[in-house]
Amino acid sequence: MADMPNGEQGCASPLELFNNIAAQGELVRSLKAGKASKDEIDSAVKMLLSLKMSYKATVGEDYKADCPPGNLAPGGDSGMDAAEAEEDFVDPWTVQTSSAKGIDYDKLIVRFGSSKIDKELVNRIERATGQKPHRFLRRGIFFSHRDVNQILDAYENKKPFYLYTGRGPSSEAMHVGHLIPFIFTKWLQDVFNVPLVIQMTDDEKYLWKDLTLDQAYGYAVENAKDIIACGFDINKTFIFSDLDYMGMSPGFYKNVVKIQKHVTFNQVKGIFGFTDSDSIGKISFPAIQAAPSFSNSFPQIFRDRADIQCLIPCAIDQDPYFRMTRDVAPRIGYPKPALLHSTFFPALQGAQTKMSASDPNSSIFLTDTAKQIKSKVNKHAFSGGRDTIEEHRQFGGNCDVDVSFMYLTFFLEDDDKLEQIRKDYTSGDMLTGELKKTLIELLQPLIAEHQARRKEVTDEIVKEFMTPRKLSYDFQCFCFDT
């Protein structure tokens, strides 16, 4: 096993560490059996001892080969104690917390080993782009990052980078929570003027869900229409289905195979919680989500360049995929992708879980009518208000747990108006019904406008977005020939 990058060994879970120690032990034994050089063996032994020290610091006891760490939620990404494990659980498929305020994101930053997006970084983005920071940055909705300063260094030195984000198409209809990474990615594309690739992981949904291949691909195409309706520039955006693109792109598939060669079964079990009963398709899938992080997966866009760094805006639950990617990248000669992590968009019933496409009442869907939006918010949006009007007027409401206020932080652009609503609701001057009415009046035109834009997205437009091709960008800023 290769040396862990600085700062990333500490974010491994006990199970990851246990499996990494086993893999490293195998490597030491094979090096000795193969009579490798003393320096190579010493380096591997040093790494093994370092991993065992990390394991003891995390678990509180020495590593024992026949005794995996117990009482761990599968797929967990840190050494949580039992109380924390009950409180917050985050992996690419499940997000749960017992707190009405939602996930404790400061703890998550520590557990995942990422960096907080602070005021200094937001100001630097503003200086680099000459644009007011997006409300998602101003309000901490995108709250964590990996190596974004490197991206800004490149941009300021007229060096290229590109954007990569994605969508797992598990149903035909998307909800407003699914729009968050795309709204922000469109802003990034606009202010930095860079190419963008969007991966539709229809293969993943076929492997994990009860879908046929045709259904999964059909959902990818339908979801692409909603993504295109966000306003992406067709000249700078390539949307691709894994089922479609991987068979026609040797460069993409070669990178998948390179990644697969450098990640062991023990490692993916530790990172993602896979078991011996999971299909080999699931076990190998993380390499497919990792591959778009490398520019030579898209020779039609970047020619043969393998050195162009990637910036990935995504929800924090996707980070395990890209921790794995960042570990592999230097071993196969590629730059590590940088990341921007968002918080989760809460379900109407409260911030304990993220929205679910399978529960129509947990979500505001992009297909909902104005009447449905009003009904869902009024009936299902969790309130931070008091039991009676009198108590509410006296003690005020709690914006920290009120879902209507949370939704306004995502979609209301005016900072001053949002702050006034917070003050009025907290003081008791604004009632829950009035707060919900404000949200309804914001969401109804927002969804209606999205639906109107989507109607204009024809099958021909989708086909053009999804056709592998050269993209256009400012060659005066970025030269891809060198």
Side-chain angles (χ1 to χ4, degrees), residues 88-134:
D88 288 355
F89 179 74
V90 175
D91 76 3
W93 305 279
T94 307
V95 177
Q96 290 179 334
T97 178
S98 60
S99 170
K101 294 181 181 180
I103 297 291
D104 186 327
Y105 292 104
D106 288 333
K107 282 185 180 177
L108 209 55
I109 286 172
V110 174
R111 284 165 48 190
F112 279 15
S114 58
S115 301
K116 189 178 180 67
I117 296 177
D118 55 18
K119 183 66 176 172
E120 184 180 345
L121 182 59
V122 174
N123 289 342
R124 187 180 178 195
I125 291 171
E126 182 173 14
R127 289 194 304 272
T129 62
Q131 301 290 327
K132 181 181 179 180
H134 195 277

Side-chain angles (χ1 to χ4, degrees), residues 402-421:
D402 193 289
V403 167
S404 295
F405 184 80
M406 291 179 189
Y407 281 24
L408 288 173
T409 65
F410 280 86
F411 292 114
L412 181 62
E413 176 62 32
D414 190 322
D415 291 338
D416 294 336
K417 187 174 180 182
L418 183 69
E419 178 59 18
Q420 190 59 52
I421 290 169

Side-chain angles (χ1 to χ4, degrees), residues 174-192:
M174 291 168 61
H175 57 60
V176 286
H178 291 139
L179 288 184
I180 302 308
F182 296 109
I183 291 170
F184 188 59
T185 300
K186 182 194 181 301
W187 181 81
L188 290 170
Q189 183 184 56
D190 289 346
V191 299
F192 286 106

